[in-house]
Amino acid sequence: EIVMTQSPATLSVSPGERATLSCRASQSVSSNLAWYQQKPGQAPRLLIYGASTRATGIPARFSGSGSGTEFTLTISSLQSEDFAVYYCQQYNNWPPEGTFGGGTKVEIK
Amino acid sequence: QVQLVQSGAEVKKPGSSVKVSCKASGGTFSSYAISWVRQAPGQGLEWMGGIIPIFGTANYAQKFQGRVTITTDESTSTAYMELSSLRSEDTAVYYCARGVAEMATTYLFDYWGQGTLVTVSS
């Protein structure tokens, strides 16, 4: 089973600054990597899939990159509504599975 | 408008089982993958397993093999997750989630249920 590791666990950033979040897979997942945002008391929201494709309605300040085992989510200029927890997820084709990373909390500095 | 509506909160004794439902509306239920994801208090997301209709059988995370059963009822557009041999560590919010594309063969989610709190306590 593929293990997903996110770093850092917590990221303190000032509004308007850039945030860079990392995700590593224990083996290659090709580009089958998604990023979700979760706010307290809410279900997760899909931000990025295919490692770099923004989901419908997601602002351009969110971008994803990487392939294989190393991935990055970048938020170019943090807005107040972006302070949340972010999870990466691999969704391999075979065997089908949907493992999540442990999450990165982006908090106000 | 796709909606996933889950059953209400449950309180269970250790050693018992719980069955949570997820009723879908909007879209063709049988064409989309459905999964269950749980989140313990203050913890991260944990994929438990799911069903991809084109494959017809459920897939489970190794951690839950033998203890979780995921089924669907196409006649009512409802998915179920049953977890047995409950222990206190199973206290969590359980979410159902739907795949992004018809006939997709992966567990990538765009719609989520509201979550069901399952509390395991003696």
Side-chain angles (χ1 to χ4, degrees):
Chain A
E1 208 169 68
I2 297 173
V3 176
M4 306 300 293
T5 304
Q6 291 187 240
S7 61
T10 304
L11 189 60
S12 298
V13 186
S14 299
E17 289 190 341
R18 173 187 295 255
T20 303
L21 290 66
S22 296
C23 175
R24 174 177 291 178
S26 61
Q27 63 190 74
S28 177
V29 297
S30 186
S31 294
N32 296 322
L33 192 284
W35 291 93
Y36 297 81
Q37 177 194 66
Q38 188 181 34
K39 296 180 179 179
Q42 297 183 16
R45 176 175 72 144
L46 179 64
L47 298 176
I48 300 283
Y49 63 93
S52 60
T53 303
R54 281 188 302 277
T56 303
I58 302 304
R61 64 180 180 271
F62 291 92
S63 63
S65 63
S67 66
T69 62
E70 300 282 342
F71 301 90
T72 300
L73 173 70
T74 302
I75 311 171
S76 59
S77 176
L78 271 157
Q79 307 297 302
S80 57
E81 62 266 30
D82 300 334
F83 291 97
V85 181
Y86 293 83
Y87 295 93
C88 63
Q89 181 217 14
Q90 66 84 10
Y91 53 97
N92 236 6
N93 287 301
W94 193 261
E97 53 186 17
T99 323
F100 290 92
T104 292
K105 180 180 181 180
V106 177
E107 64 176 25
I108 301 174
K109 187 175 183 180
Chain B
Q1 176 77 358
V2 175
Q3 272 197 307
L4 302 176
V5 179
Q6 298 183 220
S7 50
E10 303 260 14
V11 180
K12 293 292 183 180
K13 299 285 189 188
S16 67
S17 298
V18 67
K19 192 169 186 177
V20 182
S21 68
C22 169
K23 184 171 176 61
S25 59
T28 306
F29 177 77
S30 60
S31 299
Y32 291 86
I34 195 90
S35 258
W36 290 87
V37 176
R38 78 177 188 181
Q39 186 168 38
Q43 302 301 309
L45 303 172
E46 191 170 30
W47 181 75
M48 300 178 70
I51 292 179
I52 294 175
I54 197 172
F55 295 143
T57 57
N59 312 105
Y60 300 114
Q62 284 179 12
K63 175 177 179 176
F64 299 101
Q65 286 273 4
R67 212 161 63 92
V68 68
T69 304
I70 294 172
T71 56
T72 58
D73 181 343
E74 292 184 19
S75 68
T76 59
S77 299
T78 302
Y80 299 91
M81 184 283 300
E82 184 169 22
L83 186 63
S84 62
S85 302
L86 290 170
R87 36 213 188 226
S88 59
E89 309 91 89
D90 294 318
T91 294
V93 174
Y94 289 77
Y95 293 100
C96 61
R98 196 199 77 165
V100 298
E102 282 193 276
M103 308 311 291
T105 57
T106 58
Y107 290 119
L108 173 66
F109 315 121
D110 59 352
Y111 290 100
W112 295 69
Q114 82 277 19
T116 296
L117 176 61
V118 175
T119 303
V120 182
S121 174
S122 55

